[in-house]
Amino acid sequence: MTTATLCLSPTVSLAANGRLPGNISPLHYDLTVIPNIEASTFAGEVHIDIDVATATPTVVLNAESLTLDRATIDGNPATGVTLDKDSQTATLTAASPLPPGHHTVDIAYRGQIEKSARGLFQLDYTATDAPGNGKGGAGVPARMLSTQFEAGDARRFLPCWDEPAAKATFTLSVMAPQGQMAVSNMPVKADEAMADGRHLVHFQPTPRMSSYLLFVAVGDLERATAKAGDVEIGVVVRRGSVDKARFALETAAAILARYNDYFGTPYPLPKLDFIATPGAGGFGAMENWGAIMSFEKDMLLDPALATEEARQRVFQVVAHEMAHQWFGDLVTMAWWDDLWLNEGFASWMEAKAMDALHPDWSPWLVAMPAMERAKRLDARAATHPVVQPINSVAEADEAFDDITYDKGQAVIRMVEATVGETVFRDGVRRYMKRHAYGNATTRDLFKAVEEAGAKDALRIATDFITKPGIPLVSVSATCGAGDGPKPHKGKKGAKETAPAMAGSGTQVSLRQARFATEPVTIPDQYHLSDRLWAIPVPLATVGGATVGATGRAASAPSHALLTALTGKAAAPGCGPLLANAGQTGYFRTAYTEPAFKALVDHVDRLAPIDQLGLMYDSAALGEAGQMAMSDSLSLIRALRPDADPSVWEQAADYLRDVDGYYAGKPGQAAFRAFARGVLAPVLSAIGWDPQPGQGDKVGLTRAALIRALSSFDATETLTEAERRLAADGTDPTALPPGIRLAVITAVAQHADAATFDRLHALASSTTDALARRQLYGALGAVRDPALAQKVLDLSLTPEVGTTIAPQLILAVADANPDLAWRFVTAHIDAVEATLDQMQRYEFFAGVARRSSDPARIGELNAYAEAHVPATARQGVAKAAGEIAYRAKVAQERLPQVDSWLAALPATH
């Protein structure tokens, strides 16, 4: 599953439901579903072939929000049918105990079509093209049906064994209205016309798979296709939108050949559809086998509106969900505690696919911010291990977060870098072949990697996925101290490392500890009595044998494996020491003050990814008080205007983060002047308009710089933004797609009442769904509290609609966090009505976490006590920790930055 931006977690029903008895296994489901779209209900009949392992008088399976009208076992009526709401189960009692062997269960039942993304749910929208049945036309209300089952909501669609290890095959038939399309995991087998004009669509049987991967959608849809070998790739969209799906279609076709080769097991289904649905939710996309579902904002691109960032987002979603077709669908985690096997691997595979098809996008630089978010969360008390105990699907909801996705991908990247790409790939191929159509665990994956020739893979992975937190590696170096200890060497497929040369190498002392930004307590079940990790530490020297003036490694860094509290290692060459060279390690690096200064002095000779890693580490340690907070600003100040655009993009975003600490503080004006002085020359160098040869990365940076400089009240930037927006009606070149949203947001941020009304009129008159989402989101950036209140009031009106409302409220919270918090807590029921199940327990915490006011923590906890089940408060704990952290940084660290700024020359 792909998560939406900072609104994590797919749907589960929050009940104290345990796991099913293990004595019965489903083999095959034959299912017919008849929706009543107008009444928001459906009827179903299912025939289930089962295997009974031990004699039993009852059949227990999952069912939630279903009415069971009739149930038979082996053709005989069940003598009892009991539904348990708490455990979300149905218990069918047989006329006589069932002996081991094959049996059948038949159930007729009814259910509800949900209004939020769980089970079978409805999506209401305004049609932009004439429907296929010829009734009505563009601009009329329309409704589409879709399903969303991860983690535990297939049980809302049919009675079933709704656990990932309970794999079975499915044959699905669904009734569709006249002129409407139905799509599922497999191709259509037959389409049966009914006398009343409806048609019953029968699909081919699926492979053996988990229940949460079953999918069906019905609506006024159209489909475009392309062939990739023997597989038909399709995009399925609401009528009139197919041209916006061309990029996704082309991307999927290109990726499929890459993945077939990488995994060593060809994609096994005859087709792969991407279904783009209207609306939005707490997730971006879902990896249903052969029928990937996403919301339109994550799959469609309007050439007139699409930014480079949007193109990358669509590529990432396609690559992520396609990786799941192997990691998650073909081989599935045995239980939800190994969810990271799905999500961490798919997140890592995004970058691998991008590296193969769009290397000019610098994929590992693109991945760095996500891994940085994980590192920051992992330093807090509210963190958790990548693999954590999950006692029910209700608890699985809490596991879909930055740790699972992005620490997961960071660990995989670290292991691959240590053992070598070829060895790691060979291990993945073994894993796929061994567990195809079955289930596996974390240990299964890394045992397969070790069998392929990788020493220490399981040891390293186990430490980083079972222990919460992130290590801090402190380094000190002495040049020319002799041979010293030999560096750690990987096995087959790893790059060989050169030993230090006598008298010319660099001897390195290493020490590890846990990096934490607040006191942490380690639960006993994590077995952390020694608090140590097995840490691969890549070492290089700047100006020595490893990093040249081009910023690219001339030879591979040496690798030390630090397993004790302290250790010794060697790096080839002399010069400033760079630890975590290439940023493949999952740890923070602490340098001595002279060593850090030496790296800053040579920052233009570092590879872009190391520039970014050094900035992230110095920022984190500075905010934690382990070095001066201004050190990260010194590093940014030392960057050349022609440094890699991706580095400047992240530098601009970090400066905006620091500005957030300054909210309401007297030093903010001086900081903004500094930030303007650093960033304005970069925007001047790249210009406002795309130039030949600049590439997509420059476009991303241009938009980031416009956003940042407008936040820092840069007069020239605001004047140019206002000029371009005013000219947009007559000059088609005034707002190229790459800067359109950034310019509109900049103008909205500083809008007076008249400008606000003009932008509001533009948003309300726009019929394109993607453009409306952009324009209303820009309105939320307005700083003026009175206008921000108008935006909040607008968010709960039919004009905006429930799918845009959450985004709009969060946008207001960025600039006016206290105002937004007062609003949502004063309108709890109305706000919750705009949220789906995946958002409900995270959204209010997401609004609160924008604040730096410690008083907000008590208010958030009081809200949670009244409205959030105790099993769903991990998001609340994270938000409380972030609020406390922001307040601490503002109080304890900004005075040092103020002093540093005051000591700078008048022209920065």
Side-chain angles (χ1 to χ4, degrees), residues 167-438:
K167 289 195 169 187
T169 55
F170 295 80
T171 299
L172 172 66
S173 299
V174 63
M175 188 75 75
Q178 181 180 10
Q180 293 198 6
M181 180 188 296
V183 61
S184 186
N185 307 79
M186 296 295 288
V188 173
K189 179 180 180 180
D191 197 338
E192 183 181 357
M194 300 287 107
D196 60 3
R198 295 180 299 169
H199 58 125
L200 185 62
V201 184
H202 304 275
F203 296 97
Q204 297 176 18
T206 71
R208 188 169 180 266
M209 67 183 195
S210 302
S211 56
Y212 77 90
L213 299 171
L214 185 64
F215 176 81
V216 67
V218 177
D220 184 30
L221 308 170
E222 55 183 338
R223 182 172 184 257
T225 64
K227 291 291 285 188
D230 295 331
V231 178
E232 183 176 82
I233 308 288
V235 288
V236 181
V237 299
R238 58 161 131 169
R239 188 171 301 280
S241 299
V242 73
D243 286 341
K244 297 176 183 177
R246 296 292 178 188
F247 179 73
L249 181 61
E250 294 165 2
T251 296
I255 288 175
L256 188 64
R258 298 278 179 176
Y259 283 2
N260 281 338
D261 175 68
Y262 186 86
F263 292 114
T265 299
Y267 176 75
L269 276 64
K271 66 95 175 173
L272 175 57
D273 278 325
F274 292 80
I275 301 94
T277 67
F283 65 100
M286 176 62 207
E287 64 267 21
N288 313 294
W289 211 359
I292 292 167
M293 173 266 189
S294 77
F295 291 108
E296 290 175 336
K297 64 185 179 64
D298 294 306
M299 192 61 62
L300 303 187
L301 292 175
D302 185 336
L305 300 172
T307 63
E308 287 84 356
E309 182 179 16
R311 290 180 70 237
Q312 286 193 7
R313 172 64 179 170
V314 170
F315 183 96
Q316 289 172 315
V317 169
V318 171
H320 184 105
E321 302 308 325
M322 286 184 68
H324 277 311
Q325 304 301 292
W326 286 264
F327 255 88
D329 297 3
L330 180 63
V331 181
T332 311
M333 73 264 152
W335 181 246
W336 297 107
D337 50 4
D338 271 320
L339 174 67
W340 88 283
L341 281 175
N342 289 13
E343 302 301 349
F345 195 95
S347 299
W348 172 78
M349 205 66 186
E350 292 173 23
K352 295 287 282 187
M354 190 182 290
D355 197 29
L357 297 172
H358 290 283
D360 54 306
W361 286 355
S362 300
W364 295 113
L365 282 173
V366 171
M368 285 282 282
M371 290 188 279
E372 175 64 13
R373 287 195 301 271
K375 287 181 177 181
R376 283 182 168 264
L377 176 58
D378 219 12
R380 305 272 173 80
T383 191
H384 61 81
V386 174
V387 175
Q388 58 180 322
I390 301 292
N391 298 310
S392 68
V393 293
E395 293 182 10
D397 187 47
E398 295 288 283
F400 288 82
D401 66 0
D402 290 338
I403 296 296
T404 298
Y405 283 73
D406 298 317
K407 182 176 181 179
Q409 71 158 315
V411 171
I412 291 170
R413 185 172 184 233
M414 177 172 61
V415 173
E416 185 207 36
T418 303
V419 307
E421 288 185 274
T422 302
V423 170
F424 188 81
R425 183 204 61 200
D426 290 349
V428 168
R429 289 176 174 177
R430 286 171 180 256
Y431 172 82
M432 284 293 153
K433 286 181 170 60
R434 184 174 297 163
H435 301 286
Y437 304 102

Side-chain angles (χ1 to χ4, degrees), residues 20-282:
L20 293 171
N23 62 326
I24 298 177
S25 300
L27 303 174
H28 179 74
Y29 298 85
D30 195 335
L31 171 67
T32 299
V33 172
I34 303 175
N36 185 332
I37 296 177
E38 291 75 17
S40 297
T41 62
F42 68 93
E45 292 189 3
V46 61
H47 172 88
I48 314 172
D49 292 291
I50 62 174
D51 180 71
V52 175
T54 58
T56 178
T58 60
V59 174
V60 182
L61 69 171
N62 292 115
E64 166 67 4
S65 300
L66 298 177
T67 299
L68 275 55
D69 296 320
R70 184 179 69 255
T72 66
I73 302 174
D74 293 334
N76 301 311
T79 60
V81 176
T82 304
L83 295 174
D84 188 316
K85 183 175 179 58
D86 289 337
S87 65
Q88 299 179 355
T89 58
T91 300
L92 314 181
T93 303
S96 59
L98 304 179
H102 178 270
H103 298 273
T104 61
V105 175
D106 289 86
I107 303 173
Y109 64 97
R110 290 169 287 132
Q112 294 291 319
I113 298 176
E114 304 279 351
K115 290 182 171 59
S116 61
R118 59 179 180 175
L120 178 64
F121 68 101
Q122 65 192 40
L123 299 124
D124 294 334
Y125 63 97
T126 300
T128 55
D129 203 357
N133 60 15
K135 298 178 181 179
V140 300
R143 175 170 292 176
M144 176 181 174
L145 301 183
S146 180
T147 57
Q148 168 59 26
F149 294 156
E150 191 179 26
D153 279 325
R155 65 194 68 183
R156 294 176 179 272
F157 185 64
L158 79 160
C160 61
W161 280 260
D162 198 12
E163 296 181 350
K167 289 195 169 187
T169 55
F170 295 80
T171 299
L172 172 66
S173 299
V174 63
M175 188 75 75
Q178 181 180 10
Q180 293 198 6
M181 180 188 296
V183 61
S184 186
N185 307 79
M186 296 295 288
V188 173
K189 179 180 180 180
D191 197 338
E192 183 181 357
M194 300 287 107
D196 60 3
R198 295 180 299 169
H199 58 125
L200 185 62
V201 184
H202 304 275
F203 296 97
Q204 297 176 18
T206 71
R208 188 169 180 266
M209 67 183 195
S210 302
S211 56
Y212 77 90
L213 299 171
L214 185 64
F215 176 81
V216 67
V218 177
D220 184 30
L221 308 170
E222 55 183 338
R223 182 172 184 257
T225 64
K227 291 291 285 188
D230 295 331
V231 178
E232 183 176 82
I233 308 288
V235 288
V236 181
V237 299
R238 58 161 131 169
R239 188 171 301 280
S241 299
V242 73
D243 286 341
K244 297 176 183 177
R246 296 292 178 188
F247 179 73
L249 181 61
E250 294 165 2
T251 296
I255 288 175
L256 188 64
R258 298 278 179 176
Y259 283 2
N260 281 338
D261 175 68
Y262 186 86
F263 292 114
T265 299
Y267 176 75
L269 276 64
K271 66 95 175 173
L272 175 57
D273 278 325
F274 292 80
I275 301 94
T277 67

Side-chain angles (χ1 to χ4, degrees), residues 653-898:
D653 286 348
Y654 176 65
L655 291 174
R656 292 178 69 193
D657 290 342
V658 176
D659 187 61
Y661 293 133
Y662 268 109
K665 304 287 189 299
Q668 189 171 49
F671 175 77
R672 287 183 172 177
F674 164 77
R676 292 194 299 268
V678 169
L679 298 181
V682 185
L683 180 58
S684 178
I686 66 174
W688 281 70
D689 296 298
Q691 301 299 317
Q694 282 189 329
D696 290 345
K697 288 201 302 183
V698 175
L700 287 166
T701 303
R702 181 181 291 113
L705 291 170
I706 292 171
R707 288 193 301 266
L709 285 166
S710 66
S711 296
F712 301 142
D713 303 327
T715 302
E716 290 184 3
T717 304
L718 293 171
T719 300
E720 180 64 7
E722 291 165 354
R723 183 195 71 77
R724 285 175 175 264
L725 182 59
D728 184 45
T730 57
D731 180 2
T733 67
L735 284 183
I739 65 169
R740 181 178 182 83
L741 180 58
V743 166
I744 294 173
T745 303
V747 174
Q749 189 175 43
H750 297 269
D752 57 17
T755 302
F756 178 87
D757 289 342
R758 189 169 77 252
L759 292 174
H760 180 201
L762 180 62
S764 62
S765 63
T766 300
T767 58
D768 182 85
L770 298 177
R772 281 176 61 83
R773 176 172 293 279
Q774 285 188 351
L775 290 169
Y776 277 108
L779 280 179
V782 66
R783 282 183 179 172
D784 184 286
L787 297 177
Q789 184 63 55
K790 291 181 68 172
V791 175
L792 291 170
D793 294 338
L794 190 66
S795 70
L796 298 181
T797 65
E799 175 191 328
V800 170
T802 58
T803 59
I804 296 178
Q807 169 200 353
L808 199 52
I809 294 170
L810 290 175
V812 173
D814 282 334
N816 291 276
D818 297 335
L819 186 69
W821 175 253
R822 289 195 298 270
F823 178 81
V824 296
T825 52
H827 301 85
I828 291 175
D829 291 341
V831 171
E832 285 192 345
T834 72
L835 306 174
D836 63 26
Q837 183 70 16
M838 295 156 292
Q839 297 168 305
R840 189 152 297 155
Y841 301 119
E842 296 279 345
F843 182 79
F844 285 80
V847 174
R849 67 162 42 97
R850 266 77 171 172
S851 177
S852 299
D853 182 359
R856 185 72 69 250
I857 298 173
E859 297 169 4
L860 175 61
N861 287 333
Y863 160 80
E865 286 290 334
H867 299 280
V868 182
T871 57
R873 293 180 188 167
Q874 193 175 96
V876 171
K878 293 174 186 174
E882 186 168 340
I883 296 166
Y885 178 74
R886 291 170 63 85
K888 181 177 180 179
V889 171
Q891 179 180 352
E892 299 181 7
R893 310 294 172 230
L894 293 187
Q896 186 273 323
V897 177
D898 292 336

